[in-house]
Amino acid sequence: MPTRLRPHDLLRITDQGASEVLEGRFDHLLPDGGIWPTEERWATRLHTDDDVDVWLISWVVDRSTELHDHAGSLGALTVLSGSLVENRWAGAELKRRRLDAGDQASFPLGWVHDVMRAPAPDISAPDALEPTLSVHAYSPPLTAMSYYEVTDSSSLRRTRTELTDEPEGPSK
């Protein structure tokens, strides 16, 4: 189903969502006692309507999303705290980029990527195991995700498609 929203709209929505999370508007949706899970990624839906789903996601050490697309949905994200690493398919290889707190990214239809929490520069720092937080928007709301592997001939092969309304799929 087509969407009336465009990538710049989704970037604005994730930026607004990030501001509202930081202002405490969604504190009632956060994990009990303010203790973030450290073993698995955690997510909560901040908003949904016919046009867009908005999610707060916490990213933990050593868990990636697996190479995937968002089927028929456009997407965008804003990093609230910490850093993410995105490996995206660039036609013949994976390209890597780091997104730090305050950075934004959008992904059009067909964007294939894997996202994970970036390793902390100093693993002995007190916040080295703190999750990275980001706000994501998908339009239209997610209904499916396809997963891929890179072949020996430097092409993508779809391995499966899953129906889902959850962001970024299961941790691997």
Side-chain angles (χ1 to χ4, degrees), residues 1-159:
M1 173 166 79
T3 176
R4 66 182 180 83
L5 299 176
R6 299 291 172 250
H8 69 272
D9 299 315
L10 297 179
L11 290 169
R12 181 185 46 76
I13 289 167
T14 61
D15 189 51
Q16 179 66 37
S19 292
E20 291 173 350
V21 167
L22 293 172
E23 292 166 0
R25 179 171 173 201
F26 296 108
D27 283 357
H28 64 286
L29 297 175
L30 301 182
D32 290 337
I35 300 171
W36 296 95
T38 57
E39 299 299 316
E40 294 294 329
R41 214 171 40 248
W42 176 92
T44 190
R45 186 180 277 130
L46 302 177
H47 172 82
T48 189
D49 61 31
D50 290 342
D51 292 320
V52 66
D53 252 351
V54 182
W55 291 84
L56 172 63
I57 303 175
S58 76
W59 302 84
V60 298
V61 175
D62 295 331
R63 297 280 190 235
S64 74
T65 59
E66 193 175 351
L67 207 54
H68 68 280
D69 68 23
H70 299 101
S73 298
L74 304 173
L77 67 87
T78 297
V79 181
L80 273 76
S81 65
S83 300
L84 295 173
V85 171
E86 178 193 48
N87 293 301
R88 73 171 175 86
W89 184 248
E93 63 183 349
L94 292 171
K95 298 269 182 165
R96 184 179 180 101
R97 71 173 162 174
R98 181 182 174 105
L99 300 165
D100 297 316
D103 288 345
Q104 294 188 290
S106 65
F107 25 99
L109 293 178
W111 189 267
V112 175
H113 67 166
D114 181 14
V115 180
M116 65 185 300
R117 180 188 181 278
D122 177 4
I123 60 170
S124 65
D127 63 349
L129 298 178
E130 290 292 318
T132 289
L133 300 177
S134 57
V135 172
H136 297 239
Y138 304 96
S139 184
L142 285 176
T143 58
M145 291 174 58
S146 293
Y147 294 88
Y148 300 85
E149 66 183 11
V150 178
T151 68
D152 292 339
S153 60
S154 295
S155 64
L156 278 185
R157 176 178 25 237
R158 185 179 357 217
T159 58

